[in-house]
Amino acid sequence: MSKIAEIYDQDFYVWAMKNAELIRQGRFSEMDAEHLAEELEEIMGNTRRELYRRLRVLLAHLLKWQYQPNQRSGSWSGTIRIQRLDIARLLKQSPSLRRFVEEEMLEAYRDAIELASDEARKPVSDFPADCPFTSEQVLDKDFWPD
């Protein structure tokens, strides 16, 4: 185990800064490549999980918006707008995430139904089993379900 790899378990911040320094200096053979690769993969996973979480909240609020028109509030519209803005920024920072939007929407929708059901105090069966919105609609700042 390299000297820098030993620091990984002791002080992550120092380990990260030391690896950054080694990269900038072109001293690649001294880097802790194995841990560095693991950390990069973790970052990618976190970014994809953030996309899923934001889609879940957005879809739940779109469902509530559609199925409880008399309950619509500024809080709901604010949450919808914030999630769309944050997803747009996430996709701008990491354009390759776009290829996962459909897949993450399918997963997020299942959980969004449960969230909407709990918050609306309606049975899950009141909501469509399949997402009634396209990914384009979900991400479109001008789309508001009737």
Side-chain angles (χ1 to χ4, degrees):
M1 181 180 285
S2 70
K3 189 173 183 179
I4 188 75
E6 292 173 13
I7 298 171
Y8 181 79
D9 291 324
Q10 298 167 8
D11 191 328
F12 180 80
Y13 182 82
V14 169
W15 171 86
M17 294 303 291
K18 183 65 177 167
N19 274 287
E21 179 184 323
L22 292 171
I23 290 170
R24 285 187 184 92
Q25 293 173 358
R27 296 166 46 198
F28 304 116
S29 63
E30 296 174 50
M31 291 178 5
D32 180 8
E34 184 59 34
H35 284 128
L36 192 55
E38 288 173 14
E39 291 300 325
L40 290 172
E41 290 168 347
E42 181 68 20
I43 289 169
M44 292 182 300
N46 288 342
T47 304
R48 188 163 170 180
R49 279 187 292 281
E50 181 180 353
L51 175 63
Y52 161 82
R53 285 189 301 269
R54 293 193 176 284
L55 284 168
R56 180 185 60 203
V57 171
L58 176 55
L59 288 166
H61 277 74
L62 288 172
L63 285 171
K64 291 189 316 182
W65 189 270
Q66 184 172 26
Y67 289 91
Q68 289 189 291
N70 296 334
Q71 301 289 318
R72 292 176 181 167
S73 68
S75 174
W76 287 4
S77 62
T79 297
I80 290 168
R81 288 185 194 286
I82 287 169
Q83 295 307 316
R84 283 177 169 158
L85 288 169
D86 287 349
I87 291 169
R89 182 171 182 181
L90 188 62
L91 295 175
K92 182 179 179 184
Q93 290 171 339
S94 300
S96 63
L97 279 178
R98 277 200 188 279
R99 69 179 184 217
F100 299 115
V101 168
E102 295 288 334
E103 183 181 338
E104 294 302 329
M105 258 185 67
L106 285 173
E107 291 294 319
Y109 183 71
R110 291 183 202 125
D111 294 334
I113 292 172
E114 290 188 28
L115 285 175
S117 169
D118 289 345
E119 292 177 16
R121 295 188 174 103
K122 291 179 170 259
V124 169
S125 59
D126 281 4
F127 299 97
D130 295 319
C131 186
F133 318 117
T134 66
S135 59
E136 291 79 18
Q137 290 172 322
V138 169
L139 300 178
D140 181 354
K141 67 180 179 68
D142 295 322
F143 172 75
W144 296 88
D146 295 326

